[in-house]
Amino acid sequence: IANARLVRACPINPRQWGFISASGCSENLKLLQLLVKRSKQEHQPLGVVLVDIAKAFDTVCHQHIIVGLNQRGVDPHVVHLINEMYRNIVTYIN
């Protein structure tokens, strides 16, 4: 329920495949293969940029996430649930 409400309030780019239930890597790789093939067939230059945003989400202040959700008009109950998920969280490595 929370995810459905978040997706409506904060839509993501259709090329974004992280954290959703889909096999995005294979689709994106197929798209890249098709672009390279077409570029070769038409003898056109092709520029490709790959961006690795590993660990991007753990560098965002949790309070900024809550402020952003409020600014996007996300249901206050959902914002409260997400805020509670971030409250007093710790990680232990054994």
Side-chain angles (χ1 to χ4, degrees):
I1 293 171
N3 184 54
R5 291 180 182 178
L6 283 172
V7 168
R8 280 195 306 267
C10 306
I12 60 174
N13 186 293
R15 300 285 358 134
Q16 166 64 36
W17 290 101
F19 309 107
I20 62 172
S21 57
S23 59
C25 285
S26 61
E27 186 174 328
N28 283 341
L29 286 173
K30 185 64 174 174
L31 176 61
L32 180 59
Q33 286 175 329
L34 291 172
L35 289 171
V36 170
K37 182 178 179 180
R38 184 172 182 178
S39 175
K40 286 181 179 181
Q41 287 174 341
E42 297 179 4
H43 302 288
Q44 294 292 320
L46 174 67
V48 177
V49 176
L50 303 173
V51 180
D52 181 3
I53 58 168
K55 298 184 68 64
F57 297 102
D58 63 353
T59 61
V60 176
C61 172
H62 295 161
Q63 191 55 38
H64 285 100
I65 295 171
I66 301 304
V67 168
L69 293 172
N70 284 318
Q71 288 175 345
R72 296 291 299 206
V74 174
D75 183 295
H77 180 69
V78 174
V79 174
H80 176 74
L81 289 173
I82 292 170
N83 197 32
E84 288 299 309
M85 288 190 311
Y86 287 124
R87 183 187 306 272
N88 299 323
I89 58 170
V90 294
T91 301
Y92 296 98
I93 300 174
N94 291 327

